[in-house]
Amino acid sequence: MDLLNTLLDKGLRRELPTRDEALAVLATSDDELLDVVAAAGKVRRQWFGRRVKLNYLVNLKSGLCPEDCSYCSQRLGSKAEILKYTWLKPDQASEAAAAGLAGGAKRVCLVASGRGPTDRDVDRVSDTIKAIKDQNEGVEVCACLGLLSDGQAERLRDAGADAYNHNLNTSEGTYGDITTTHTYADRVDTVQKAHAAGLSACSGLIAGMGESDEDLVDVVYALRALDPDSVPVNFLIPFEGTPLAKEWNLTPQRCLRILAMVRFVCPDVEVRIAGGREVHLRTMQPLALHLANSIFLGDYLTSEGQAGKADLDMIADAGFEVEGTGEVTLPEHRAAAHAGCGSHAGADADAGADAGCGSHAGGGCGPCGSADREPPRKEPVSEARTDLVSVRRRGAGTDLAPNA
């Protein structure tokens, strides 16, 4: 297949595919799926071998968020019956993190609901970062606290944070349909603040919210222009009690095509399968490891994942290995410079000009969001698997042992 040969060659050279090539990946048939996975898998192995990085989430503060993000069970007005609690103390958060680290995680992701942290909140999280690092040599800590104000990224860095996560989630053109209490530009600004402070930027997307193929390509090209080191790919968990509870738009095959497209566009970036993999990939999760080199271990913020031991067994059975604490995740050329998807780490000179939807990050703005693009193409709604959506009732904020 000429398309896949072209994408494989570009991926091995860290060259940006064209938008048409990225769209073509999403349009491939189920008969071509294994060929798509095989080609993208070669790109993944070129840059990350057979290593799988494990990350562990600690939800520092759950629920009661003033923002109205339609996909989120913690949103303003959510009727989802999730855990709700205020800030964990540093020792509580450190204890929660220890479970994931004991299970093989090398990065702890500290998350708190809300629009963004106050300075007092940054102090709290700084104390938590120090507590975790004092007790766990070599651990990476990523903070995810919402929109950052000036100087807060630097304070988190000084406290020992290695990375900051803030996802773009969807395309700029459709962002206002998902959230009204802040803007796409606000999110871009926070990713740039993290970058400028010397933190490793982590920013990704949510698939399955009713977006078109064009929207998916738009947001992934925008991510490439923003240069994150990590790109989490979330698959919408349609929680009852949220506006998107009826959005069941994903099949396992669709999820694999999305992951392959992300890998081709961001070949040497840590691509992480994040929330919703158990719900939508289901028994196809092992195939996804040929595309992504990173997963979350155990549970998520407000939903339960599969058993931590099942994650480890899946990795081993698929012929992969857990990345050790002493191993560097990113390829040498990126680890040295904290460069993003390749555009200022030696990729082809035309990559920046083609990096679409990157006007906030210095890239060209090409056809992304233009009024004359073709109408969105949507796949048939898949079967609702509400039986696979389980609200988290263990771990942080409870008296029950965590899943790790």
Side-chain angles (χ1 to χ4, degrees):
M1 190 176 181
D2 289 343
L3 169 68
L4 296 180
N5 289 333
T6 297
L7 288 168
L8 171 58
D9 183 57
K10 287 185 174 183
L12 297 179
R13 292 186 286 118
R14 295 183 287 126
E15 181 181 341
L16 183 67
T18 66
R19 283 180 51 84
D20 285 344
E21 288 165 346
L23 287 166
V25 173
L26 298 178
T28 53
S29 69
D30 287 350
D31 288 343
E32 299 166 312
L33 183 61
L34 289 181
D35 294 329
V36 173
V37 172
K42 290 180 181 177
V43 176
R44 179 250 201 266
R45 290 193 299 278
Q46 162 79 10
W47 301 112
F48 299 97
R50 288 191 165 271
R51 292 175 286 112
V52 178
K53 181 176 181 177
L54 298 182
N55 309 269
Y56 191 71
L57 284 166
V58 177
N59 199 359
L60 297 176
K61 180 168 74 79
S62 183
L64 308 174
C65 183
E67 302 299 287
D68 69 353
C69 308
S70 300
Y71 51 82
C72 185
S73 60
Q74 304 183 78
R75 74 187 296 271
L76 177 69
S78 170
K79 293 180 173 54
E81 297 180 355
I82 62 167
L83 291 169
K84 297 181 177 67
Y85 53 86
T86 190
W87 289 93
L88 298 181
K89 293 182 171 59
D91 60 331
Q92 294 173 313
S94 183
E95 182 180 353
L101 296 171
K106 66 180 291 185
R107 172 173 286 192
V108 174
C109 303
L110 302 175
V111 187
S113 62
R115 178 180 177 85
T118 64
D119 286 341
R120 184 182 177 191
D121 294 335
V122 173
D123 288 338
R124 286 191 181 103
V125 176
S126 296
D127 290 342
T128 298
I129 293 169
K130 291 172 183 173
I132 292 172
K133 291 216 160 188
D134 284 347
Q135 296 174 31
N136 301 278
E137 185 178 356
V139 66
E140 297 176 9
V141 176
C142 178
C144 177
L145 312 173
L147 301 172
L148 292 175
S149 300
D150 290 345
Q152 291 183 329
E154 287 79 4
R155 290 175 60 197
L156 290 168
R157 178 204 62 207
D158 292 345
D162 299 283
Y164 195 84
N165 166 259
H166 199 62
N167 296 329
L168 296 188
N169 289 330
T170 193
S171 68
E172 183 173 15
T174 60
Y175 195 83
D177 298 332
I178 299 299
T179 304
T180 66
T181 48
H182 61 266
T183 67
Y184 180 90
D186 290 332
R187 287 188 169 265
V188 169
D189 178 66
T190 286
V191 178
Q192 291 175 329
K193 280 185 168 70
H195 246 324
L199 293 169
S200 177
C202 174
S203 187
L205 65 141
I206 304 173
M209 298 190 289
E211 71 282 338
S212 67
D213 285 0
E214 288 80 1
D215 290 320
L216 285 170
V217 170
D218 280 357
V219 68
V220 176
Y221 274 62
L223 287 166
R224 169 148 179 161
L226 272 178
D227 267 348
D229 289 321
S230 305
V231 176
V233 180
N234 295 275
F235 301 109
L236 176 72
I237 302 177
F239 274 97
E240 289 297 326
T242 65
L244 299 184
K246 305 303 180 187
E247 293 285 345
W248 289 87
N249 303 309
L250 298 170
T251 63
Q253 294 84 359
R254 170 78 166 163
C255 294
L256 289 170
R257 282 190 283 268
I258 292 168
L259 287 168
M261 185 269 287
V262 175
R263 175 55 71 198
F264 285 129
V265 176
C266 295
D268 58 340
V269 163
E270 178 194 342
V271 175
R272 185 182 312 155
I273 318 171
R277 64 177 164 93
E278 298 89 345
V279 177
H280 297 293
L281 279 162
R282 303 192 285 275
T283 58
M284 302 284 269
Q285 290 181 72
L287 269 183
L289 295 177
H290 290 270
L291 307 169
N293 62 295
S294 180
I295 65 170
F296 281 110
L297 176 72
D299 293 334
Y300 302 97
L301 298 177
T302 62
S303 66
E304 293 186 353
Q306 68 186 21
K309 185 178 185 305
D311 288 336
L312 298 176
D313 288 345
M314 175 182 72
I315 291 168
D317 290 347
F320 292 88
E321 60 186 23
V322 172
E323 183 174 287
T325 303
E327 295 180 279
V328 177
T329 299
L330 296 173
E332 184 177 352
H333 63 274
R334 288 177 49 79
H338 264 190
C341 294
S343 57
H344 55 68
D348 282 10
D350 63 350
D354 288 338
C357 257
S359 55
H360 298 292
C365 210
C368 303
S370 58
D372 58 350
R373 70 183 182 187
E374 294 183 4
R377 178 183 75 85
K378 293 186 179 180
E379 294 196 354
V381 175
S382 65
E383 176 190 0
R385 290 298 305 271
T386 55
D387 59 306
L388 295 177
V389 179
S390 180
V391 174
R392 181 173 69 82
R393 300 294 183 202
R394 59 196 176 195
T398 78
D399 294 327
L400 299 178
N403 170 30

